Amino acid sequence: MNPYSKPVLAFRWVVFLLAAFYCLHEIFMASYAQAFGPFRFLTIWALLLSFFCASRLLAFTEGRSQRHWDVLIAAVAVVNLMVVFLYWRLFFADPNSVTPDGELGVWWREYYLHLLGPLLMWIDAIIINRPFRRFFASAFVLVVIAGAYFAWAELVLEPLNDRPVGSVTTGLPYPFLNNLELEARLSFYITNTGVALGALAGFFALGWVVTRIFGDRPA
């Protein structure tokens, strides 16, 4: 008998169905005017990874799997944090730096992708699942995801796309990146990877505190 309660099962079904809906919406409704369409954006990488994590948590809750996926879920929680942090920080500093016309898109899409979706994952991770158990393995996966995305942007997207147009280059997925020289972009990538690792350490510390207060998660 699975030790998780019916409210947890209901919550995970909601998270899973929302993530599934937005994945399908982005894949089939987004523009493909530029090469690889929505897959150019870290936000969509985070969405797809979150959907996979939600599917695995639901399978575990229903007793269809015995695997926790702790390492990946811990890393993806931080990827979502970086999406939220970077998007809103850049948007409030200069909306044109992350959006084509300086305006938010459809509100129910933007607020799910850049706030609600990540928040739902953090609630599960911090309160219910608490996957923060193997720091160095999670850090390795986090660095691999970040490095893969940065390489994707520089080696694949930039050569194949002619939008957005910047003062230095074209084709990088976020407008502000096209205004930076390669050295400055590499510095941005490295700095934010370091921030992500610091955030991962913060999640691990928070997970330890929650576990000390409420005990370990159900088996």
Side-chain angles (χ1 to χ4, degrees):
M1 183 69 178
N2 194 290
Y4 285 95
S5 64
K6 288 184 178 180
V8 170
L9 178 61
F11 174 78
R12 285 179 170 170
W13 262 111
V14 169
V15 173
F16 170 79
L17 290 174
L18 281 171
F21 168 79
Y22 280 94
C23 283
L24 292 172
H25 180 272
E26 293 305 307
I27 291 169
F28 292 107
M29 301 302 292
S31 170
Y32 285 83
Q34 298 296 312
F36 298 103
F39 302 103
R40 293 176 295 147
F41 302 106
L42 182 61
T43 298
I44 305 307
W45 281 42
L47 172 64
L48 295 172
L49 287 166
S50 296
F51 170 68
F52 177 80
C53 292
S55 73
R56 296 306 84 210
L57 288 171
L58 182 59
F60 182 85
T61 309
E62 293 186 329
R64 294 183 283 109
S65 171
Q66 297 303 311
R67 186 172 178 179
H68 283 284
W69 293 88
D70 286 340
V71 169
L72 179 64
I73 292 173
V76 174
V78 177
V79 174
N80 275 290
L81 179 64
M82 297 310 295
V83 165
V84 172
F85 171 72
L86 289 172
Y87 183 85
W88 292 111
R89 187 189 71 166
L90 291 167
F91 180 82
F92 287 120
D94 177 11
N96 291 296
S97 67
V98 288
T99 61
D101 54 7
E103 298 290 336
L104 285 173
V106 181
W107 68 268
W108 52 265
R109 175 185 179 273
E110 297 295 338
Y111 285 110
Y112 176 84
L113 293 177
H114 301 111
L115 188 59
L116 178 61
L119 179 61
L120 291 173
M121 184 181 193
W122 300 333
I123 290 172
D124 196 309
I126 294 169
I127 298 175
I128 304 170
N129 189 42
R130 282 170 266 160
F132 310 107
R133 295 161 185 271
R134 298 170 58 195
F135 177 81
F136 291 106
S138 298
F140 175 77
V141 171
L142 178 60
V143 170
V144 168
I145 293 171
Y149 180 76
F150 298 147
W152 169 252
E154 293 288 337
L155 301 178
V156 178
L157 300 181
E158 183 187 16
L160 293 179
N161 288 294
D162 56 12
R163 293 287 187 279
V165 177
S167 58
V168 174
T169 188
T170 61
L172 292 169
Y174 297 99
F176 78 96
L177 289 174
N178 296 284
N179 297 323
L180 301 177
E181 298 286 351
L182 177 59
E183 182 178 350
R185 298 200 303 272
L186 291 176
S187 177
F188 175 82
Y189 299 150
I190 292 169
T191 298
N192 281 282
T193 300
V195 171
L197 291 172
L200 181 66
F203 270 116
F204 268 76
L206 183 57
W208 180 85
V209 170
V210 172
T211 298
R212 292 282 292 181
I213 294 173
F214 297 105
D216 203 1
R217 68 186 177 191

